[in-house]
Amino acid sequence: MSNSSDFDRVRVVLVATRNPLNIGAAARAMSNFGFFRLYLVNPFEPSFLEARSAVGAAELLANAKVFATVGEAVADCSLVVGTTAVGRRELRHPLKFLEEGARAIHKRLHSRTSSTGENKSEVAILFGSEKFGLSNEDLSHCNWLLRIPTRDEHRSMNLGQAVAICLYELARNAKRAASVDKANPATAGDIDRVADLLLDALQLAGSLDSRSAVTTGQKLRRLMRRHNLTAEDAKFWLGMFGQITYKLRQGKRPSE
């Protein structure tokens, strides 16, 4: 397996999970393969409390972090991967099958992301609720999507099993680290701040109404992630859009 420090930068994010058995199974699989960072977004509280006593991963469950939104759970990540069975859903992200996706995650984990060569990349793998999967809002925070190659006639998998298979593939291929990437990728939080500033600018300019703000925000987040922004890009865009929104607000002030 890979050096444990690689997996220390991988978080498993379960979104709106309702079944305590699935939370417990996911935690057990994480412990099996050496992943110890469990993040829960808006879990069904009775399920989470019941799951704390499940299987042999009590310490992992006790250390799980809970967030209200996906954006908060992945804000410091430079790579966010969503899982999907696809089905009839219209995809707006690049899709990778499991083996290719595992290689891409390892490439990020082995990249050098600072001038000193230190790797600070944080990676999140998102798993949606048992009934609905990840919503369009959840997916708008993702860089790309991952699919386990099930047969088309029966695509959907149990949540705990899906977590186990994805983590097994990461652990199995850990020694096949990809070549070093010298880029310094922007975090999800920085990308969201850029998108929020651009939304503010559109609203201040009168080019966006409240009815379309949510879907436009999702499109902007997907657009930003397709461009693979570096930290330097994000800093430049934040400064640029910050100046634009400042000027627009100044222009809307009543004359004295």
Side-chain angles (χ1 to χ4, degrees), residues 92-93 135-142 192 195-196 199 212-226:
R92 299 181 176 91
H93 294 75
S135 69
N136 288 335
E137 174 67 21
D138 300 332
L139 292 175
S140 71
H141 295 278
C142 297
D192 287 347
D196 288 343
L199 273 177
S212 61
V214 172
T215 55
T216 301
Q218 293 172 2
K219 291 177 182 177
L220 282 174
R221 285 194 291 272
R222 291 195 299 267
L223 174 64
M224 298 295 178
R225 283 165 173 81
R226 285 201 296 271

CSV table of all heavy atoms in Angstrom, one decimal, residues 92-93 135-142 192 195-196 199 212-226:
chain,number,residue,atom,x,y,z
A,92,ARG,N,-22.6,16.8,-16.7
A,92,ARG,CA,-22.0,18.1,-17.1
A,92,ARG,C,-20.5,18.1,-16.6
A,92,ARG,O,-19.9,19.2,-16.5
A,92,ARG,CB,-22.8,19.2,-16.4
A,92,ARG,CG,-24.2,19.3,-16.9
A,92,ARG,CD,-25.0,20.5,-16.3
A,92,ARG,NE,-26.3,20.7,-16.7
A,92,ARG,CZ,-27.4,20.1,-16.2
A,92,ARG,NH1,-27.2,19.3,-15.2
A,92,ARG,NH2,-28.6,20.3,-16.7
A,93,HIS,N,-20.0,17.0,-16.3
A,93,HIS,CA,-18.6,16.8,-15.8
A,93,HIS,C,-17.9,15.7,-16.6
A,93,HIS,O,-18.6,14.8,-17.1
A,93,HIS,CB,-18.6,16.4,-14.3
A,93,HIS,CG,-19.1,17.4,-13.4
A,93,HIS,ND1,-20.5,17.7,-13.2
A,93,HIS,CD2,-18.5,18.3,-12.5
A,93,HIS,CE1,-20.6,18.6,-12.3
A,93,HIS,NE2,-19.5,19.0,-11.8
A,135,SER,N,-26.9,15.4,-5.6
A,135,SER,CA,-27.7,16.4,-6.3
A,135,SER,C,-26.9,17.2,-7.3
A,135,SER,O,-25.6,17.2,-7.2
A,135,SER,CB,-28.4,17.3,-5.3
A,135,SER,OG,-27.4,18.2,-4.7
A,136,ASN,N,-27.5,18.0,-8.1
A,136,ASN,CA,-26.8,18.9,-9.0
A,136,ASN,C,-26.0,19.9,-8.3
A,136,ASN,O,-24.9,20.3,-8.7
A,136,ASN,CB,-27.8,19.6,-10.0
A,136,ASN,CG,-28.3,18.6,-11.0
A,136,ASN,OD1,-27.7,17.6,-11.4
A,136,ASN,ND2,-29.5,18.9,-11.6
A,137,GLU,N,-26.5,20.3,-7.1
A,137,GLU,CA,-25.8,21.3,-6.3
A,137,GLU,C,-24.5,20.7,-5.7
A,137,GLU,O,-23.5,21.3,-5.7
A,137,GLU,CB,-26.7,21.8,-5.1
A,137,GLU,CG,-26.0,22.7,-4.1
A,137,GLU,CD,-25.6,24.0,-4.7
A,137,GLU,OE1,-26.2,24.4,-5.7
A,137,GLU,OE2,-24.7,24.7,-4.1
A,138,ASP,N,-24.7,19.4,-5.2
A,138,ASP,CA,-23.5,18.7,-4.7
A,138,ASP,C,-22.4,18.5,-5.9
A,138,ASP,O,-21.2,18.8,-5.6
A,138,ASP,CB,-23.9,17.3,-4.2
A,138,ASP,CG,-24.9,17.3,-3.1
A,138,ASP,OD1,-24.9,18.3,-2.3
A,138,ASP,OD2,-25.7,16.4,-3.0
A,139,LEU,N,-22.9,18.1,-7.0
A,139,LEU,CA,-22.0,17.9,-8.1
A,139,LEU,C,-21.3,19.1,-8.6
A,139,LEU,O,-20.2,19.1,-9.2
A,139,LEU,CB,-22.7,17.2,-9.3
A,139,LEU,CG,-23.3,15.8,-9.1
A,139,LEU,CD1,-24.1,15.3,-10.2
A,139,LEU,CD2,-22.1,14.8,-8.8
A,140,SER,N,-21.9,20.3,-8.4
A,140,SER,CA,-21.3,21.5,-8.9
A,140,SER,C,-20.0,21.8,-8.2
A,140,SER,O,-19.2,22.7,-8.6
A,140,SER,CB,-22.2,22.7,-8.7
A,140,SER,OG,-22.4,23.1,-7.4
A,141,HIS,N,-19.7,21.1,-7.0
A,141,HIS,CA,-18.5,21.3,-6.3
A,141,HIS,C,-17.4,20.3,-6.8
A,141,HIS,O,-16.3,20.4,-6.2
A,141,HIS,CB,-18.7,21.1,-4.8
A,141,HIS,CG,-19.6,22.2,-4.2
A,141,HIS,ND1,-19.1,23.4,-3.8
A,141,HIS,CD2,-20.9,22.2,-3.9
A,141,HIS,CE1,-20.2,24.1,-3.3
A,141,HIS,NE2,-21.2,23.4,-3.4
A,142,CYS,N,-17.7,19.5,-7.7
A,142,CYS,CA,-16.8,18.4,-8.1
A,142,CYS,C,-16.0,18.8,-9.4
A,142,CYS,O,-16.4,19.5,-10.2
A,142,CYS,CB,-17.6,17.1,-8.5
A,142,CYS,SG,-18.4,16.4,-7.0
A,192,ASP,N,-14.9,28.5,-5.2
A,192,ASP,CA,-16.3,28.9,-4.9
A,192,ASP,C,-16.3,30.4,-4.6
A,192,ASP,O,-17.3,31.1,-5.0
A,192,ASP,CB,-16.8,28.2,-3.7
A,192,ASP,CG,-17.1,26.7,-4.0
A,192,ASP,OD1,-17.2,26.4,-5.2
A,192,ASP,OD2,-17.3,25.9,-3.0
A,195,ALA,N,-16.4,32.1,-8.0
A,195,ALA,CA,-17.7,32.0,-8.6
A,195,ALA,C,-18.7,32.9,-7.8
A,195,ALA,O,-19.6,33.6,-8.5
A,195,ALA,CB,-18.2,30.6,-8.5
A,196,ASP,N,-18.6,33.0,-6.5
A,196,ASP,CA,-19.5,33.9,-5.8
A,196,ASP,C,-19.3,35.4,-6.1
A,196,ASP,O,-20.3,36.2,-6.2
A,196,ASP,CB,-19.3,33.7,-4.3
A,196,ASP,CG,-19.9,32.4,-3.8
A,196,ASP,OD1,-20.7,31.7,-4.5
A,196,ASP,OD2,-19.5,31.9,-2.7
A,199,LEU,N,-20.9,36.0,-9.5
A,199,LEU,CA,-22.3,36.1,-9.3
A,199,LEU,C,-22.7,37.5,-8.8
A,199,LEU,O,-23.7,38.1,-9.2
A,199,LEU,CB,-22.8,35.0,-8.3
A,199,LEU,CG,-23.1,33.6,-8.9
A,199,LEU,CD1,-23.5,32.7,-7.8
A,199,LEU,CD2,-24.3,33.7,-10.0
A,212,SER,N,-32.7,32.7,-11.4
A,212,SER,CA,-31.7,31.9,-12.1
A,212,SER,C,-30.4,31.9,-11.3
A,212,SER,O,-29.4,31.3,-11.8
A,212,SER,CB,-31.5,32.5,-13.5
A,212,SER,OG,-31.0,33.9,-13.4
A,213,ALA,N,-30.3,32.5,-10.1
A,213,ALA,CA,-29.1,32.6,-9.4
A,213,ALA,C,-28.5,31.2,-9.0
A,213,ALA,O,-27.3,31.0,-9.1
A,213,ALA,CB,-29.2,33.5,-8.2
A,214,VAL,N,-29.4,30.3,-8.6
A,214,VAL,CA,-28.9,29.0,-8.1
A,214,VAL,C,-28.3,28.2,-9.3
A,214,VAL,O,-27.1,27.7,-9.2
A,214,VAL,CB,-30.0,28.2,-7.4
A,214,VAL,CG1,-29.6,26.8,-7.2
A,214,VAL,CG2,-30.5,28.9,-6.1
A,215,THR,N,-29.0,28.1,-10.4
A,215,THR,CA,-28.5,27.3,-11.5
A,215,THR,C,-27.3,28.0,-12.1
A,215,THR,O,-26.3,27.3,-12.6
A,215,THR,CB,-29.6,27.1,-12.6
A,215,THR,OG1,-30.1,28.4,-13.0
A,215,THR,CG2,-30.7,26.3,-12.0
A,216,THR,N,-27.3,29.3,-12.2
A,216,THR,CA,-26.1,30.0,-12.7
A,216,THR,C,-24.9,29.8,-11.8
A,216,THR,O,-23.8,29.6,-12.3
A,216,THR,CB,-26.4,31.5,-12.8
A,216,THR,OG1,-27.5,31.8,-13.7
A,216,THR,CG2,-25.1,32.3,-13.4
A,217,GLY,N,-25.1,29.8,-10.5
A,217,GLY,CA,-24.0,29.5,-9.6
A,217,GLY,C,-23.4,28.1,-9.8
A,217,GLY,O,-22.2,27.9,-9.8
A,218,GLN,N,-24.3,27.1,-10.0
A,218,GLN,CA,-23.8,25.7,-10.3
A,218,GLN,C,-23.0,25.7,-11.6
A,218,GLN,O,-21.9,25.1,-11.6
A,218,GLN,CB,-25.0,24.8,-10.4
A,218,GLN,CG,-25.8,24.6,-9.1
A,218,GLN,CD,-27.0,23.8,-9.2
A,218,GLN,OE1,-27.4,23.4,-10.4
A,218,GLN,NE2,-27.8,23.7,-8.2
A,219,LYS,N,-23.5,26.4,-12.6
A,219,LYS,CA,-22.8,26.4,-13.9
A,219,LYS,C,-21.4,27.1,-13.8
A,219,LYS,O,-20.4,26.6,-14.3
A,219,LYS,CB,-23.6,27.1,-14.9
A,219,LYS,CG,-24.9,26.4,-15.4
A,219,LYS,CD,-25.7,27.2,-16.4
A,219,LYS,CE,-26.9,26.5,-16.8
A,219,LYS,NZ,-27.8,27.3,-17.7
A,220,LEU,N,-21.3,28.1,-13.0
A,220,LEU,CA,-20.1,28.8,-12.8
A,220,LEU,C,-19.1,27.9,-12.0
A,220,LEU,O,-17.9,27.9,-12.4
A,220,LEU,CB,-20.3,30.1,-12.0
A,220,LEU,CG,-20.8,31.3,-12.8
A,220,LEU,CD1,-21.1,32.5,-11.8
A,220,LEU,CD2,-19.8,31.7,-13.9
A,221,ARG,N,-19.5,27.2,-11.0
A,221,ARG,CA,-18.6,26.3,-10.3
A,221,ARG,C,-18.1,25.2,-11.2
A,221,ARG,O,-16.9,24.9,-11.2
A,221,ARG,CB,-19.3,25.7,-9.1
A,221,ARG,CG,-19.4,26.7,-7.9
A,221,ARG,CD,-19.8,26.0,-6.6
A,221,ARG,NE,-21.1,25.5,-6.6
A,221,ARG,CZ,-22.2,26.2,-6.3
A,221,ARG,NH1,-22.1,27.5,-5.9
A,221,ARG,NH2,-23.4,25.6,-6.3
A,222,ARG,N,-18.9,24.7,-12.0
A,222,ARG,CA,-18.5,23.6,-13.0
A,222,ARG,C,-17.5,24.2,-14.0
A,222,ARG,O,-16.5,23.6,-14.3
A,222,ARG,CB,-19.7,23.0,-13.7
A,222,ARG,CG,-20.6,22.2,-12.8
A,222,ARG,CD,-21.5,21.3,-13.7
A,222,ARG,NE,-22.4,22.1,-14.5
A,222,ARG,CZ,-23.6,22.5,-14.2
A,222,ARG,NH1,-24.1,22.2,-13.0
A,222,ARG,NH2,-24.4,23.2,-15.0
A,223,LEU,N,-17.8,25.4,-14.5
A,223,LEU,CA,-16.9,26.1,-15.4
A,223,LEU,C,-15.5,26.3,-14.9
A,223,LEU,O,-14.5,26.0,-15.5
A,223,LEU,CB,-17.5,27.4,-15.9
A,223,LEU,CG,-16.7,28.3,-16.8
A,223,LEU,CD1,-16.4,27.6,-18.1
A,223,LEU,CD2,-17.3,29.6,-17.0
A,224,MET,N,-15.5,26.8,-13.6
A,224,MET,CA,-14.2,27.1,-13.0
A,224,MET,C,-13.4,25.8,-12.8
A,224,MET,O,-12.2,25.8,-13.1
A,224,MET,CB,-14.4,27.7,-11.6
A,224,MET,CG,-15.1,29.0,-11.6
A,224,MET,SD,-14.2,30.3,-12.4
A,224,MET,CE,-15.4,31.7,-12.2
A,225,ARG,N,-14.0,24.7,-12.5
A,225,ARG,CA,-13.3,23.5,-12.3
A,225,ARG,C,-12.8,22.9,-13.6
A,225,ARG,O,-11.7,22.2,-13.6
A,225,ARG,CB,-14.2,22.5,-11.5
A,225,ARG,CG,-14.2,22.8,-10.0
A,225,ARG,CD,-15.4,22.1,-9.3
A,225,ARG,NE,-15.3,22.4,-7.9
A,225,ARG,CZ,-15.7,23.5,-7.2
A,225,ARG,NH1,-16.2,24.4,-7.9
A,225,ARG,NH2,-15.5,23.6,-5.9
A,226,ARG,N,-13.5,23.1,-14.7
A,226,ARG,CA,-13.0,22.6,-16.0
A,226,ARG,C,-11.7,23.3,-16.4
A,226,ARG,O,-10.9,22.7,-17.2
A,226,ARG,CB,-14.1,22.8,-17.1
A,226,ARG,CG,-15.2,21.8,-17.0
A,226,ARG,CD,-15.9,21.7,-18.3
A,226,ARG,NE,-16.6,23.0,-18.7
A,226,ARG,CZ,-17.8,23.4,-18.3
A,226,ARG,NH1,-18.5,22.6,-17.6
A,226,ARG,NH2,-18.3,24.5,-18.8
